[in-house]
Amino acid sequence: MLERGLVQWQCQKKTSPTNQLKVIFLGEAGIDTGALRKEFLTGMVAGIEERFFEKGTHGRRPNYSLSDLDKGHFRTVGEIMAASLAQGGPVPNFLMPWCYKFLCTGSLDLGNLDKSDVGDDQYTDLLSKVEAATDRTIQVLTEEILNCGYTGLISLEKKGEIIRAIVLHANLRLFPILLQIKDGLNLYGLCNIMAKYPDIYQPLFVPGVEMTADADFIISVCQAEFSERGSNKEQVEVTLMNHLQDFLQEIEQDTTDLGMENAALPSLSPKAFLQWITGQGHVPVLQEEKRRFKVNVKFNHHCQSHFGEHSICYPSVAACSRTITFPVQHMRSYADFKVVLVEAFHLGQEFSLV
């Protein structure tokens, strides 16, 4: 979806990326009232993180790719990150602090750059070789050191200066890429606001504040429609809600031990579960949106009379209304609940009868 999404984003002719995003998944029925948009942005931001950014010690920095720079991909990356923040998608909080500061100010704070800010394997390897070098072996590294812009005497006495030159070279070459991302973020004038309130916006771009939904968050936003208080139906429905809480806590702790022989099983997590139901797997950013965010839980006690004789039916999901409906008679025990829910998730269908 990432590559296709980038192409379609750049091919917009009759509209502007500043408009509200409308998404249609080919071959799937559905009108986008927000859930499809959030699902698209969730997939795009996750893909952007893996495709365009490399891991460092304290976050990620852009991959050095002149090809992507020439094609304007990094500008598109910035636009999608801005659109995600503005239109209810996940926050791109994976950047290294120095990258975020550059996006805020447009300049690099060279004095605060150190070895931990280098993420490229080529340069981390060179730094390791220089640090471990002897009088003889440091001369072997002469060409690589000179390619980093160092012009002084190559000797052990100058090791600190050499390391500093490598650190600066590894980061300064990302300058045009970061400028293009910054240009994309200005889609909504975002960089101007970031420059004015850098501390407020930092958690949206730099790791530190967990924005991914966990089991506790999902249970806290579930709003179950229980039957009459004290009735047998209500007791069964409360049991199912307990099953749901146990299930979410179990997949949060260990997604590989659910007693299911399914190669795709590790992909099931609280985040993926919430995204299946609502289109988003993240905690809403704005407090007002977070306060209003609810997952409606309904219970179907009469699936046999509604759908005729069948051995099992799966929960039905309506992402646009953030609703999941459990077929009670097929999920009463925790073992049945777990099997039916996992199968429904991996089938990815709104409703099915067997």
Side-chain angles (χ1 to χ4, degrees), residues 212-215 218 244 246-260 262-277 315 317 324 331 334 337-348:
T212 300
D214 59 10
I218 296 175
L244 177 61
D246 293 342
F247 176 77
L248 291 171
Q249 291 172 344
E250 184 175 348
I251 62 176
E252 183 176 62
Q253 294 168 4
D254 186 1
T255 58
T256 63
D257 187 25
L258 293 176
M260 298 289 293
N262 192 320
L265 198 55
S267 65
L268 180 52
S269 63
K271 172 187 174 181
F273 178 81
L274 184 65
Q275 186 175 346
W276 174 46
I277 299 173
V317 170
I324 182 169
M331 308 181 77
Y334 180 61
F337 182 94
K338 183 165 60 174
V339 170
V340 171
L341 197 56
V342 169
E343 288 184 353
F345 174 82
H346 288 293
L347 286 172

Short mmCIF file of all heavy atoms in Angstrom, two decimals, residues 212-215 218 244 246-260 262-277 315 317 324 331 334 337-348:
data_model
loop_
_atom_site.label_atom_id
_atom_site.label_comp_id
_atom_site.label_asym_id
_atom_site.label_seq_id
_atom_site.Cartn_x
_atom_site.Cartn_y
_atom_site.Cartn_z
N THR A 212 0.58 4.23 21.17
CA THR A 212 -0.05 3.02 20.67
C THR A 212 -1.04 2.49 21.70
O THR A 212 -0.75 2.44 22.90
CB THR A 212 1.00 1.95 20.37
OG1 THR A 212 1.91 2.44 19.39
CG2 THR A 212 0.35 0.69 19.83
N ALA A 213 -2.20 2.08 21.23
CA ALA A 213 -3.24 1.59 22.15
C ALA A 213 -2.81 0.26 22.77
O ALA A 213 -2.32 -0.63 22.08
CB ALA A 213 -4.55 1.42 21.39
N ASP A 214 -3.01 0.14 24.08
CA ASP A 214 -2.74 -1.12 24.77
C ASP A 214 -4.05 -1.71 25.28
O ASP A 214 -5.13 -1.15 25.08
CB ASP A 214 -1.74 -0.92 25.91
CG ASP A 214 -2.22 0.08 26.96
OD1 ASP A 214 -3.40 0.50 26.91
OD2 ASP A 214 -1.42 0.45 27.84
N ALA A 215 -3.97 -2.84 25.96
CA ALA A 215 -5.17 -3.54 26.42
C ALA A 215 -5.99 -2.68 27.37
O ALA A 215 -7.22 -2.62 27.28
CB ALA A 215 -4.78 -4.85 27.10
N ILE A 218 -8.00 0.03 25.49
CA ILE A 218 -9.14 -0.50 24.73
C ILE A 218 -10.31 -0.81 25.66
O ILE A 218 -11.46 -0.46 25.39
CB ILE A 218 -8.73 -1.74 23.93
CG1 ILE A 218 -7.68 -1.37 22.88
CG2 ILE A 218 -9.94 -2.37 23.25
CD1 ILE A 218 -7.11 -2.55 22.13
N LEU A 244 -13.04 -10.67 26.94
CA LEU A 244 -12.38 -9.70 26.06
C LEU A 244 -11.18 -9.08 26.76
O LEU A 244 -10.09 -8.96 26.17
CB LEU A 244 -13.36 -8.61 25.64
CG LEU A 244 -12.79 -7.48 24.77
CD1 LEU A 244 -12.24 -8.04 23.46
CD2 LEU A 244 -13.84 -6.42 24.49
N ASP A 246 -9.41 -10.38 29.25
CA ASP A 246 -8.38 -11.42 29.39
C ASP A 246 -7.66 -11.65 28.06
O ASP A 246 -6.44 -11.83 28.02
CB ASP A 246 -9.00 -12.73 29.88
CG ASP A 246 -9.55 -12.63 31.30
OD1 ASP A 246 -9.15 -11.69 32.01
OD2 ASP A 246 -10.39 -13.47 31.67
N PHE A 247 -8.44 -11.66 26.98
CA PHE A 247 -7.87 -11.90 25.66
C PHE A 247 -6.89 -10.79 25.27
O PHE A 247 -5.79 -11.05 24.79
CB PHE A 247 -9.00 -11.99 24.63
CG PHE A 247 -8.54 -12.13 23.22
CD1 PHE A 247 -8.08 -13.35 22.74
CD2 PHE A 247 -8.57 -11.05 22.35
CE1 PHE A 247 -7.64 -13.48 21.43
CE2 PHE A 247 -8.14 -11.18 21.04
CZ PHE A 247 -7.68 -12.39 20.58
N LEU A 248 -7.28 -9.52 25.46
CA LEU A 248 -6.42 -8.40 25.11
C LEU A 248 -5.15 -8.39 25.94
O LEU A 248 -4.05 -8.11 25.43
CB LEU A 248 -7.18 -7.08 25.30
CG LEU A 248 -8.33 -6.83 24.31
CD1 LEU A 248 -9.14 -5.61 24.73
CD2 LEU A 248 -7.79 -6.65 22.89
N GLN A 249 -5.26 -8.72 27.22
CA GLN A 249 -4.07 -8.78 28.07
C GLN A 249 -3.16 -9.92 27.66
O GLN A 249 -1.93 -9.80 27.70
CB GLN A 249 -4.49 -8.92 29.53
CG GLN A 249 -5.15 -7.67 30.09
CD GLN A 249 -5.73 -7.87 31.48
OE1 GLN A 249 -5.91 -9.00 31.93
NE2 GLN A 249 -6.02 -6.77 32.17
N GLU A 250 -3.77 -11.02 27.20
CA GLU A 250 -2.96 -12.17 26.78
C GLU A 250 -2.17 -11.87 25.51
O GLU A 250 -0.98 -12.16 25.43
CB GLU A 250 -3.87 -13.38 26.55
CG GLU A 250 -3.11 -14.65 26.20
CD GLU A 250 -4.01 -15.87 26.10
OE1 GLU A 250 -5.19 -15.77 26.52
OE2 GLU A 250 -3.56 -16.90 25.58
N ILE A 251 -2.82 -11.27 24.52
CA ILE A 251 -2.10 -10.98 23.27
C ILE A 251 -1.10 -9.85 23.46
O ILE A 251 -0.12 -9.73 22.70
CB ILE A 251 -3.05 -10.67 22.10
CG1 ILE A 251 -3.89 -9.42 22.39
CG2 ILE A 251 -3.95 -11.86 21.81
CD1 ILE A 251 -4.78 -9.01 21.21
N GLU A 252 -1.32 -9.01 24.46
CA GLU A 252 -0.35 -7.95 24.76
C GLU A 252 0.92 -8.53 25.35
O GLU A 252 2.02 -8.09 25.04
CB GLU A 252 -0.96 -6.94 25.72
CG GLU A 252 -0.06 -5.75 26.04
CD GLU A 252 -0.77 -4.74 26.92
OE1 GLU A 252 -1.14 -5.09 28.07
OE2 GLU A 252 -0.96 -3.61 26.46
N GLN A 253 0.77 -9.56 26.17
CA GLN A 253 1.92 -10.17 26.83
C GLN A 253 2.68 -11.12 25.92
O GLN A 253 3.90 -11.14 25.91
CB GLN A 253 1.47 -10.92 28.09
CG GLN A 253 0.92 -9.99 29.17
CD GLN A 253 0.22 -10.74 30.28
OE1 GLN A 253 0.20 -11.97 30.29
NE2 GLN A 253 -0.37 -10.02 31.21
N ASP A 254 1.95 -11.91 25.15
CA ASP A 254 2.61 -12.89 24.28
C ASP A 254 1.67 -13.26 23.15
O ASP A 254 0.76 -14.06 23.31
CB ASP A 254 2.99 -14.14 25.07
CG ASP A 254 3.82 -15.11 24.23
OD1 ASP A 254 4.10 -14.80 23.05
OD2 ASP A 254 4.18 -16.17 24.76
N THR A 255 1.92 -12.72 21.95
CA THR A 255 1.05 -12.98 20.81
C THR A 255 1.29 -14.35 20.19
O THR A 255 0.55 -14.76 19.31
CB THR A 255 1.29 -11.92 19.72
OG1 THR A 255 2.67 -11.94 19.33
CG2 THR A 255 0.95 -10.53 20.23
N THR A 256 2.32 -15.05 20.66
CA THR A 256 2.65 -16.33 20.03
C THR A 256 2.08 -17.53 20.79
O THR A 256 2.26 -18.66 20.37
CB THR A 256 4.17 -16.51 19.93
OG1 THR A 256 4.72 -16.53 21.26
CG2 THR A 256 4.79 -15.36 19.16
N ASP A 257 1.40 -17.29 21.91
CA ASP A 257 0.95 -18.41 22.74
C ASP A 257 -0.56 -18.35 22.94
O ASP A 257 -1.05 -18.18 24.04
CB ASP A 257 1.67 -18.38 24.10
CG ASP A 257 1.34 -19.62 24.92
OD1 ASP A 257 0.98 -20.65 24.32
OD2 ASP A 257 1.42 -19.55 26.16
N LEU A 258 -1.28 -18.47 21.82
CA LEU A 258 -2.73 -18.42 21.90
C LEU A 258 -3.38 -19.76 21.56
O LEU A 258 -4.59 -19.85 21.42
CB LEU A 258 -3.27 -17.34 20.94
CG LEU A 258 -2.92 -15.90 21.31
CD1 LEU A 258 -3.41 -14.97 20.24
CD2 LEU A 258 -3.52 -15.52 22.65
N GLY A 259 -2.55 -20.79 21.43
CA GLY A 259 -3.10 -22.10 21.14
C GLY A 259 -3.68 -22.20 19.74
O GLY A 259 -4.54 -23.04 19.49
N MET A 260 -3.23 -21.37 18.81
CA MET A 260 -3.74 -21.38 17.45
C MET A 260 -2.59 -21.66 16.50
O MET A 260 -1.53 -21.06 16.59
CB MET A 260 -4.37 -20.03 17.09
CG MET A 260 -5.57 -19.66 17.95
SD MET A 260 -6.99 -20.67 17.57
CE MET A 260 -7.33 -20.10 15.90
N ASN A 262 -1.44 -20.83 13.42
CA ASN A 262 -1.65 -19.85 12.36
C ASN A 262 -0.39 -19.03 12.23
O ASN A 262 0.03 -18.36 13.16
CB ASN A 262 -2.85 -18.94 12.69
CG ASN A 262 -3.27 -18.11 11.50
OD1 ASN A 262 -2.44 -17.62 10.76
ND2 ASN A 262 -4.57 -17.97 11.34
N ALA A 263 0.23 -19.05 11.05
CA ALA A 263 1.50 -18.35 10.85
C ALA A 263 1.35 -16.85 11.00
O ALA A 263 2.30 -16.15 11.31
CB ALA A 263 2.06 -18.68 9.46
N ALA A 264 0.14 -16.34 10.76
CA ALA A 264 -0.06 -14.90 10.83
C ALA A 264 -0.44 -14.43 12.22
O ALA A 264 -0.63 -13.25 12.45
CB ALA A 264 -1.16 -14.48 9.84
N LEU A 265 -0.51 -15.34 13.17
CA LEU A 265 -1.01 -15.02 14.50
C LEU A 265 -0.23 -13.91 15.21
O LEU A 265 -0.83 -13.07 15.86
CB LEU A 265 -1.02 -16.27 15.36
CG LEU A 265 -1.89 -16.23 16.63
CD1 LEU A 265 -3.31 -15.86 16.28
CD2 LEU A 265 -1.83 -17.56 17.35
N PRO A 266 1.12 -13.86 15.11
CA PRO A 266 1.83 -12.81 15.82
C PRO A 266 1.42 -11.38 15.43
O PRO A 266 1.71 -10.45 16.14
CB PRO A 266 3.30 -13.07 15.45
CG PRO A 266 3.35 -14.53 15.20
CD PRO A 266 2.03 -14.84 14.54
N SER A 267 0.74 -11.22 14.29
CA SER A 267 0.32 -9.89 13.88
C SER A 267 -0.85 -9.39 14.72
O SER A 267 -1.18 -8.20 14.68
CB SER A 267 -0.08 -9.88 12.40
OG SER A 267 -1.23 -10.69 12.19
N LEU A 268 -1.49 -10.27 15.47
CA LEU A 268 -2.61 -9.86 16.31
C LEU A 268 -2.10 -9.28 17.62
O LEU A 268 -1.43 -9.95 18.40
CB LEU A 268 -3.54 -11.06 16.58
CG LEU A 268 -4.78 -10.78 17.44
CD1 LEU A 268 -5.57 -9.61 16.91
CD2 LEU A 268 -5.66 -12.02 17.51
N SER A 269 -2.41 -8.03 17.85
CA SER A 269 -1.99 -7.30 19.04
C SER A 269 -3.13 -6.37 19.43
O SER A 269 -4.08 -6.18 18.65
CB SER A 269 -0.73 -6.49 18.74
OG SER A 269 -1.02 -5.52 17.74
N PRO A 270 -3.10 -5.78 20.63
CA PRO A 270 -4.14 -4.81 20.97
C PRO A 270 -4.27 -3.70 19.93
O PRO A 270 -5.37 -3.28 19.58
CB PRO A 270 -3.68 -4.28 22.33
CG PRO A 270 -2.95 -5.42 22.94
CD PRO A 270 -2.22 -6.06 21.79
N LYS A 271 -3.14 -3.22 19.43
CA LYS A 271 -3.17 -2.17 18.40
C LYS A 271 -3.89 -2.66 17.15
O LYS A 271 -4.77 -1.97 16.60
CB LYS A 271 -1.74 -1.76 18.05
CG LYS A 271 -1.65 -0.81 16.86
CD LYS A 271 -0.21 -0.58 16.45
CE LYS A 271 -0.14 0.24 15.17
NZ LYS A 271 1.27 0.46 14.74
N ALA A 272 -3.53 -3.87 16.67
CA ALA A 272 -4.17 -4.41 15.46
C ALA A 272 -5.64 -4.70 15.70
O ALA A 272 -6.47 -4.51 14.80
CB ALA A 272 -3.44 -5.69 15.03
N PHE A 273 -5.98 -5.15 16.89
CA PHE A 273 -7.38 -5.43 17.22
C PHE A 273 -8.20 -4.15 17.16
O PHE A 273 -9.30 -4.11 16.58
CB PHE A 273 -7.46 -6.05 18.62
CG PHE A 273 -8.86 -6.34 19.09
CD1 PHE A 273 -9.52 -7.49 18.68
CD2 PHE A 273 -9.52 -5.46 19.93
CE1 PHE A 273 -10.82 -7.76 19.10
CE2 PHE A 273 -10.82 -5.72 20.36
CZ PHE A 273 -11.46 -6.87 19.94
N LEU A 274 -7.69 -3.07 17.76
CA LEU A 274 -8.41 -1.80 17.73
C LEU A 274 -8.53 -1.25 16.31
O LEU A 274 -9.57 -0.71 15.92
CB LEU A 274 -7.71 -0.78 18.64
CG LEU A 274 -8.41 0.57 18.78
CD1 LEU A 274 -9.76 0.41 19.47
CD2 LEU A 274 -7.54 1.56 19.54
N GLN A 275 -7.47 -1.43 15.53
CA GLN A 275 -7.52 -0.95 14.14
C GLN A 275 -8.56 -1.72 13.33
O GLN A 275 -9.24 -1.17 12.46
CB GLN A 275 -6.14 -1.08 13.49
CG GLN A 275 -6.08 -0.48 12.08
CD GLN A 275 -4.69 -0.50 11.51
OE1 GLN A 275 -3.71 -0.71 12.22
NE2 GLN A 275 -4.58 -0.29 10.20
N TRP A 276 -8.71 -3.01 13.62
CA TRP A 276 -9.72 -3.82 12.94
C TRP A 276 -11.12 -3.29 13.22
O TRP A 276 -11.97 -3.24 12.33
CB TRP A 276 -9.58 -5.26 13.44
CG TRP A 276 -10.61 -6.23 12.95
CD1 TRP A 276 -11.07 -6.38 11.67
CD2 TRP A 276 -11.31 -7.21 13.75
NE1 TRP A 276 -11.99 -7.40 11.62
CE2 TRP A 276 -12.17 -7.92 12.87
CE3 TRP A 276 -11.28 -7.55 15.09
CZ2 TRP A 276 -12.98 -8.95 13.32
CZ3 TRP A 276 -12.09 -8.58 15.52
CH2 TRP A 276 -12.94 -9.27 14.64
N ILE A 277 -11.36 -2.84 14.44
CA ILE A 277 -12.70 -2.40 14.82
C ILE A 277 -12.97 -0.94 14.43
O ILE A 277 -14.08 -0.59 14.03
CB ILE A 277 -12.90 -2.55 16.33
CG1 ILE A 277 -12.76 -4.02 16.74
CG2 ILE A 277 -14.26 -2.04 16.78
CD1 ILE A 277 -12.78 -4.24 18.23
N PRO A 315 -17.94 -12.64 15.04
CA PRO A 315 -18.34 -11.27 15.41
C PRO A 315 -18.44 -10.39 14.17
O PRO A 315 -17.68 -10.55 13.21
CB PRO A 315 -17.19 -10.81 16.31
CG PRO A 315 -16.56 -12.06 16.82
CD PRO A 315 -16.70 -13.06 15.72
N VAL A 317 -18.20 -6.55 12.59
CA VAL A 317 -17.48 -5.32 12.87
C VAL A 317 -17.95 -4.23 11.92
O VAL A 317 -18.04 -4.46 10.70
CB VAL A 317 -15.95 -5.53 12.73
CG1 VAL A 317 -15.22 -4.20 12.77
CG2 VAL A 317 -15.45 -6.45 13.82
N ILE A 324 -18.50 -3.48 17.50
CA ILE A 324 -18.31 -4.91 17.33
C ILE A 324 -19.46 -5.63 18.04
O ILE A 324 -19.87 -5.24 19.14
CB ILE A 324 -16.95 -5.39 17.90
CG1 ILE A 324 -16.77 -6.89 17.64
CG2 ILE A 324 -16.79 -5.05 19.38
CD1 ILE A 324 -15.35 -7.40 17.93
N MET A 331 -19.51 -18.02 21.91
CA MET A 331 -18.33 -17.48 22.57
C MET A 331 -18.44 -17.52 24.09
O MET A 331 -17.78 -16.75 24.78
CB MET A 331 -18.10 -16.02 22.10
CG MET A 331 -18.07 -15.86 20.60
SD MET A 331 -17.79 -14.15 20.04
CE MET A 331 -16.03 -13.99 20.32
N TYR A 334 -14.14 -19.19 27.53
CA TYR A 334 -13.00 -18.38 27.09
C TYR A 334 -12.29 -19.03 25.91
O TYR A 334 -11.82 -18.34 24.99
CB TYR A 334 -12.02 -18.17 28.25
CG TYR A 334 -10.82 -17.34 27.83
CD1 TYR A 334 -10.98 -16.04 27.36
CD2 TYR A 334 -9.53 -17.87 27.87
CE1 TYR A 334 -9.89 -15.28 26.96
CE2 TYR A 334 -8.44 -17.13 27.47
CZ TYR A 334 -8.63 -15.83 27.02
OH TYR A 334 -7.55 -15.08 26.61
N PHE A 337 -14.31 -18.26 22.88
CA PHE A 337 -14.20 -16.83 22.62
C PHE A 337 -12.90 -16.52 21.88
O PHE A 337 -12.89 -15.80 20.88
CB PHE A 337 -14.25 -16.07 23.95
CG PHE A 337 -14.19 -14.57 23.80
CD1 PHE A 337 -15.37 -13.82 23.75
CD2 PHE A 337 -12.97 -13.91 23.72
CE1 PHE A 337 -15.32 -12.44 23.61
CE2 PHE A 337 -12.92 -12.53 23.58
CZ PHE A 337 -14.10 -11.80 23.53
N LYS A 338 -11.82 -17.09 22.37
CA LYS A 338 -10.51 -16.82 21.79
C LYS A 338 -10.40 -17.36 20.36
O LYS A 338 -9.96 -16.65 19.45
CB LYS A 338 -9.43 -17.45 22.68
CG LYS A 338 -8.02 -17.19 22.22
CD LYS A 338 -7.02 -17.53 23.32
CE LYS A 338 -7.08 -18.97 23.75
NZ LYS A 338 -6.00 -19.29 24.71
N VAL A 339 -10.86 -18.59 20.16
CA VAL A 339 -10.78 -19.20 18.83
C VAL A 339 -11.61 -18.43 17.81
O VAL A 339 -11.14 -18.10 16.71
CB VAL A 339 -11.23 -20.68 18.89
CG1 VAL A 339 -11.38 -21.24 17.48
CG2 VAL A 339 -10.23 -21.52 19.68
N VAL A 340 -12.84 -18.12 18.18
CA VAL A 340 -13.74 -17.43 17.24
C VAL A 340 -13.22 -16.04 16.91
O VAL A 340 -13.22 -15.61 15.75
CB VAL A 340 -15.17 -17.34 17.84
CG1 VAL A 340 -16.05 -16.44 16.99
CG2 VAL A 340 -15.78 -18.73 17.94
N LEU A 341 -12.74 -15.32 17.92
CA LEU A 341 -12.28 -13.95 17.69
C LEU A 341 -11.01 -13.92 16.84
O LEU A 341 -10.87 -13.09 15.94
CB LEU A 341 -12.03 -13.25 19.03
CG LEU A 341 -11.93 -11.73 19.00
CD1 LEU A 341 -13.18 -11.12 18.37
CD2 LEU A 341 -11.73 -11.18 20.40
N VAL A 342 -10.07 -14.82 17.11
CA VAL A 342 -8.84 -14.87 16.33
C VAL A 342 -9.14 -15.23 14.87
O VAL A 342 -8.60 -14.64 13.93
CB VAL A 342 -7.84 -15.88 16.95
CG1 VAL A 342 -6.68 -16.13 16.00
CG2 VAL A 342 -7.33 -15.36 18.28
N GLU A 343 -10.03 -16.22 14.66
CA GLU A 343 -10.38 -16.61 13.29
C GLU A 343 -11.06 -15.45 12.57
O GLU A 343 -10.79 -15.20 11.39
CB GLU A 343 -11.28 -17.84 13.31
CG GLU A 343 -10.55 -19.12 13.69
CD GLU A 343 -11.45 -20.34 13.60
OE1 GLU A 343 -12.67 -20.16 13.38
OE2 GLU A 343 -10.94 -21.46 13.75
N ALA A 344 -11.95 -14.75 13.26
CA ALA A 344 -12.64 -13.62 12.64
C ALA A 344 -11.65 -12.54 12.25
O ALA A 344 -11.75 -11.95 11.16
CB ALA A 344 -13.69 -13.06 13.60
N PHE A 345 -10.69 -12.27 13.11
CA PHE A 345 -9.68 -11.25 12.81
C PHE A 345 -8.88 -11.60 11.57
O PHE A 345 -8.67 -10.77 10.69
CB PHE A 345 -8.76 -11.08 14.01
CG PHE A 345 -7.60 -10.15 13.76
CD1 PHE A 345 -7.76 -8.78 13.85
CD2 PHE A 345 -6.35 -10.66 13.41
CE1 PHE A 345 -6.69 -7.93 13.60
CE2 PHE A 345 -5.29 -9.82 13.17
CZ PHE A 345 -5.45 -8.45 13.27
N HIS A 346 -8.45 -12.84 11.47
CA HIS A 346 -7.61 -13.23 10.35
C HIS A 346 -8.40 -13.43 9.06
O HIS A 346 -7.87 -13.28 7.97
CB HIS A 346 -6.81 -14.48 10.69
CG HIS A 346 -5.70 -14.21 11.67
ND1 HIS A 346 -4.63 -13.44 11.37
CD2 HIS A 346 -5.55 -14.58 12.97
CE1 HIS A 346 -3.82 -13.35 12.41
NE2 HIS A 346 -4.37 -14.03 13.39
N LEU A 347 -9.67 -13.75 9.17
CA LEU A 347 -10.50 -13.82 7.97
C LEU A 347 -10.76 -12.41 7.44
O LEU A 347 -10.94 -12.22 6.23
CB LEU A 347 -11.83 -14.51 8.28
CG LEU A 347 -11.78 -16.03 8.47
CD1 LEU A 347 -13.12 -16.55 8.95
CD2 LEU A 347 -11.40 -16.71 7.16
N GLY A 348 -10.79 -11.45 8.34
CA GLY A 348 -10.94 -10.07 7.93
C GLY A 348 -12.28 -9.77 7.29
O GLY A 348 -12.39 -8.88 6.44
#
